[in-house]
Amino acid sequence: MNPPRFITLEGIEGAGKSTAIQFIQSWMQQANIPHLLTREPGGTEIAEAIRSVLLLKNYQEKMAADTELLLMFASRAQHLAHVIMPALQRGEWVICDRFTDATYAYQGGGRGIPYDRIAQIETWVQGPMRPDRVILLDLPAAIGMERVKKRQLQSDRIEQEKISFFERVREAYLGRAQADPERYRVIDASQSLEKVQLGIADILAQ
Amino acid sequence: MNPPRFITLEGIEGAGKSTAIQFIQSWMQQANIPHLLTREPGGTEIAEAIRSVLLLKNYQEKMAADTELLLMFASRAQHLAHVIMPALQRGEWVICDRFTDATYAYQGGGRGIPYDRIAQIETWVQGPMRPDRVILLDLPAAIGMERVKKRQLQSDRIEQEKISFFERVREAYLGRAQADPERYRVIDASQSLEKVQLGIADILAQ
C-alpha cells in the first residue's frame, strides 16, 4: 500500500477545480483509496467562519493585504490541526481544493506581498509540511473570468478583482510550478473536460 | 508641543481598563491633547468582524492556539493600517485598550505559545513599531474574576477560561513589565479607584 498523500488542487477562478475534485473523488473510490476531500479557505467550522470574514464584500473599508494573508493562515492553522493532519495520521489521502500555493498566488502575485514574507508565515504555521503533489489547472485569466460570469450572478470580494489581478495570480502559480517540477503538475485547463480528466488520472496513477 | 504618543492599556479581565480609559479620555480633553481611543481586538469594521470570530464561544471544535494568535494579528494589521498609523500621522495621541502585550500574555503565557514565536509575527506585522508607553493594571486573577462575575451574566470564549489561565496571563504581563521598565508602568489595580486614577494621571503627566 502507498503511504498517505497530501494532494492539492490549484488554479484561478473558472479553471474547473470543482469538476476536477468530483472526478478525483470518483477515481479514488474506484481505486479503493481511503481519502478525504476538503477546501481552503475553510474546511472546519472555525475556518469557515474565517472564510466568511475573508470573502464578504460589502465592507466600507479596504482589507489590508497583511490582514488577508494572516486570515488565510489562521484558517489554515485550524484546518491543518483539525482536519488535514488527523486524516493523514489515519492513513487517508487528503485532496484539498486550494492550499498555501494559493496564498503565494493571490496574496503574493495578486496583492504584491513579497514571497519571502509569505514563506516566513508558511514555515511558522506549517513547519516543514508541504503538499506531496500540487495539480495546477492553468488557463488564461480572461477565459476563466468568462466561465465564472456564465455560471453565477454574484461574485465574492476576491472574485471581484480585475483581469490583470488574475493574470498576476496565474503567473505566480506558473512560476512556482516551474521552480519545482518534482512536486507540481500543470494541466492545460482550456482543453476539453475529457482531456483535463485524462491528465488528472495520469497524475493520480503515478 | 509633545510628539504624538502611542499608549496602550493592559491587564486581565476585571482590572478596570474600561474605567481607566474613560479617565484617560477626560484627562486628555482637559489637557487639550488631540487623541484617539480605540481597542483590540477590533477598532475597525473588519477588525471587529475578526473579533467576533475570536470571541464567539459556541464552537463545536477547539480553536487552535496558532489560529487564535494569527486572528489577533490579522485584526491588528487592519487596525494599524486604518486607525492607529493614520491617527499618529495626523499628530494625535493614540490610547489603545490592549495591544500586542496582550498577545504575549494571553496566547503566550495563557496558551503556551513560545514568546519567540510570537515575536516573529509581531515583527512581521509591526516592523519596529511598538507602544511608547504600556500601562499595566495589575491585580490577582481571583480578584479580577470576582469583579467580572459581579458585573455580567455572560462571558466570552476567552473569559470562560479558569483562574489558573488568568494567573499565567498576569505573570506574563508582569514579566514583560519587569524586563523593560523604561516603557512599562505597573499600577496596583486592587487599590481604590481614586488611587488607580492618581497613578494613571502621574504617568500621563510624565
Side-chain angles (χ1 to χ4, degrees):
Chain A
M1 218 182 107
N2 292 322
R5 289 276 174 180
F6 180 34
I7 299 174
T8 62
L9 205 62
E10 297 283 358
I12 59 168
E13 272 67 20
K17 286 196 282 60
S18 307
T19 315
I21 285 277
Q22 283 167 27
F23 174 77
I24 293 172
Q25 181 158 44
S26 322
W27 191 95
M28 292 275 168
Q29 280 163 352
Q30 282 181 5
N32 232 343
I33 295 171
H35 63 280
L36 180 97
L37 297 182
T38 184
R39 71 161 183 185
E40 288 213 347
T44 85
E45 185 191 9
I46 288 173
E48 294 287 336
I50 300 169
R51 180 191 178 93
S52 306
V53 174
L54 269 164
L55 299 186
L56 203 69
K57 66 180 168 186
N58 53 355
Y59 294 118
Q60 300 292 310
E61 70 196 33
K62 202 167 144 54
M63 186 179 287
D66 282 1
T67 302
E68 190 173 278
L69 183 132
L70 292 168
L71 287 175
M72 287 289 176
F73 274 108
S75 157
R76 183 161 300 138
Q78 188 72 12
H79 193 204
L80 277 165
H82 285 262
V83 174
I84 297 175
M85 298 309 291
L88 291 171
Q89 277 152 18
R90 285 191 307 267
E92 297 169 18
W93 289 39
V94 175
I95 320 293
C96 190
D97 183 348
R98 290 218 174 105
F99 195 65
T100 305
D101 285 282
T103 309
Y104 280 96
Y106 284 80
Q107 282 73 47
R111 304 264 185 240
I113 298 184
Y115 295 145
D116 63 337
R117 286 197 88 213
I118 300 177
Q120 289 172 25
I121 308 287
E122 178 183 37
T123 296
W124 193 92
V125 170
Q126 299 171 212
M129 199 269 195
R130 302 288 180 273
D132 298 298
R133 179 72 73 232
V134 181
I135 301 176
L136 172 59
L137 299 179
D138 175 61
L139 88 173
I143 301 179
M145 291 305 97
E146 217 158 279
R147 289 187 185 170
V148 170
K149 268 186 206 152
K150 274 185 195 155
R151 77 178 178 217
Q152 64 183 14
L153 295 167
Q154 295 262 320
S155 54
D156 67 38
R157 191 178 59 82
I158 293 175
E159 286 168 354
Q160 285 182 323
E161 290 290 336
K162 291 180 197 147
I163 281 194
S164 59
F165 176 86
F166 292 106
E167 263 313 320
R168 292 199 303 278
V169 172
R170 181 197 185 194
E171 290 308 316
Y173 270 138
L174 285 173
R176 288 182 63 78
Q178 280 154 10
D180 188 359
E182 283 293 309
R183 282 201 310 129
Y184 291 76
R185 295 289 179 276
V186 182
I187 292 180
D188 175 357
S190 67
Q191 301 177 108
S192 70
L193 185 62
E194 202 186 3
K195 281 191 178 169
V196 169
Q197 294 187 342
L198 277 172
I200 294 173
D202 258 6
I203 293 165
L204 293 174
Q206 278 162 17
Chain B
M1 218 181 106
N2 291 321
R5 288 276 174 181
F6 180 34
I7 299 174
T8 63
L9 203 63
E10 298 282 359
I12 59 167
E13 272 67 22
K17 284 195 285 58
S18 308
T19 315
I21 284 276
Q22 284 166 27
F23 174 78
I24 292 173
Q25 181 158 43
S26 322
W27 191 96
M28 292 274 167
Q29 280 164 352
Q30 283 182 5
N32 230 344
I33 295 172
H35 63 280
L36 180 97
L37 295 182
T38 185
R39 71 162 182 184
E40 288 215 348
T44 86
E45 185 191 9
I46 288 174
E48 293 287 336
I50 301 169
R51 181 189 176 95
S52 305
V53 174
L54 269 165
L55 300 184
L56 203 69
K57 67 181 168 186
N58 54 354
Y59 295 118
Q60 299 292 309
E61 69 196 33
K62 202 169 144 53
M63 187 179 287
D66 281 1
T67 301
E68 190 173 278
L69 182 131
L70 292 168
L71 286 175
M72 288 290 176
F73 274 107
S75 156
R76 183 162 301 139
Q78 188 72 12
H79 193 205
L80 278 165
H82 286 261
V83 175
I84 296 174
M85 298 309 292
L88 292 171
Q89 277 152 19
R90 285 192 307 267
E92 298 170 18
W93 289 39
V94 175
I95 320 294
C96 189
D97 182 348
R98 289 218 174 105
F99 194 64
T100 305
D101 285 283
T103 309
Y104 280 96
Y106 284 80
Q107 281 73 48
R111 304 264 186 240
I113 297 183
Y115 295 145
D116 61 339
R117 287 198 87 213
I118 300 176
Q120 289 172 25
I121 308 287
E122 178 184 38
T123 296
W124 192 93
V125 170
Q126 298 171 215
M129 198 269 193
R130 302 287 180 273
D132 298 298
R133 179 72 73 232
V134 181
I135 301 176
L136 172 59
L137 298 179
D138 176 60
L139 87 174
I143 300 179
M145 292 303 98
E146 217 158 278
R147 289 187 185 170
V148 171
K149 266 186 208 152
K150 274 184 196 155
R151 75 178 178 216
Q152 63 184 16
L153 295 166
Q154 293 263 320
S155 54
D156 67 36
R157 192 178 58 83
I158 292 174
E159 286 169 353
Q160 285 183 324
E161 290 289 337
K162 290 178 196 148
I163 281 193
S164 58
F165 175 87
F166 293 105
E167 262 312 321
R168 292 198 304 277
V169 171
R170 180 196 185 196
E171 289 309 315
Y173 270 136
L174 286 172
R176 288 181 63 76
Q178 280 153 11
D180 188 358
E182 283 294 308
R183 282 201 309 128
Y184 291 77
R185 296 289 180 274
V186 182
I187 292 180
D188 176 357
S190 68
Q191 299 175 110
S192 70
L193 185 61
E194 202 186 4
K195 282 192 177 169
V196 169
Q197 294 186 342
L198 276 173
I200 293 173
D202 258 4
I203 292 166
L204 294 174
Q206 278 164 15

